[in-house]
Amino acid sequence: MGEEVKVIVFALGNEEYGIEVDKVRTIERLSPITRVPKTAAFIKGVINLRGVVVPIIDLRGRFNLTETQPTENSRIIVVAVGEIEVGFIVDSANDVIDIDTDSIDLPPEIVGGIKAKYLRGIAKLGEGRLLIMLNLSEVLNKNEIVQLAQIEA
């Protein structure tokens, strides 16, 4: 057995994804988002989270999935990437689980229409359940991080 990593499980459509707990700052209900002009379409705007301006990204838009209307279960997962905090809109945040790092395989080229560069790997959880592990540094590439840093400032 390898090391275990704690992961927050969230959903986009029918797929389950994971982000390591140590990268997650907080999970919030959707709150009003202030639009920011001249940003990529998937950057929905910013929220004021306890006095901190946090850029908000719709992960569905980021991954070129069909965007849907938020529901009662929609959440914003606030993650830290380097010095920047960013919120991801997800359909739901369901669980915190421990995953054996040995059960995480390299991602295939495309999973559910999402390019492999956004993925750290696929975790096999048993009973045919797969968890798509995100590679946060690619989900937010350097140019976008610069753009988001400018929004924060």
Side-chain angles (χ1 to χ4, degrees):
M1 292 218 10
E3 294 178 30
E4 286 207 326
V5 59
K6 265 200 186 323
V7 172
I8 290 188
V9 179
F10 66 92
L12 293 176
N14 298 326
E15 301 290 341
E16 286 189 305
Y17 297 82
I19 299 177
E20 292 94 337
V21 166
D22 62 2
K23 307 253 191 313
V24 175
R25 291 280 192 253
T26 178
I27 300 174
E28 303 287 332
R29 290 185 177 277
L30 274 172
S31 55
I33 298 172
T34 304
R35 196 79 192 116
V36 177
K38 297 185 182 147
T39 55
F42 59 83
I43 298 175
K44 292 299 171 197
V46 295
I47 61 170
N48 181 342
L49 187 60
R50 294 181 273 288
V52 178
V53 174
V54 178
I56 302 298
I57 289 178
D58 189 331
L59 273 189
R60 283 177 164 274
R62 180 68 180 112
F63 295 152
N64 293 321
L65 302 173
T66 308
E67 290 189 35
T68 59
Q69 288 301 314
T71 68
E72 181 67 25
N73 295 324
S74 298
R75 294 290 181 267
I76 295 175
I77 299 178
V78 179
V79 299
V81 181
E83 298 295 304
I84 299 175
E85 288 190 2
V86 179
F88 293 136
I89 299 175
V90 300
D91 294 350
S92 62
N94 306 325
D95 215 350
V96 177
I97 59 173
D98 292 314
I99 296 178
D100 185 333
T101 52
D102 289 347
S103 71
I104 301 174
D105 292 340
L106 289 173
E109 280 306 300
I110 286 198
V111 177
I114 299 173
K115 296 183 186 84
K117 72 176 186 175
Y118 299 137
L119 310 178
R120 182 176 145 213
I122 306 290
K124 296 186 291 278
L125 304 180
E127 297 171 33
R129 186 175 172 205
L130 297 176
L131 187 67
I132 302 166
M133 301 293 296
L134 291 188
N135 177 348
L136 288 182
S137 58
E138 280 299 332
V139 171
L140 297 169
N141 70 35
K142 298 209 176 17
N143 297 340
E144 287 155 4
I145 289 174
V146 166
Q147 195 177 8
L148 291 170
Q150 289 166 344
I151 290 174
E152 279 193 339

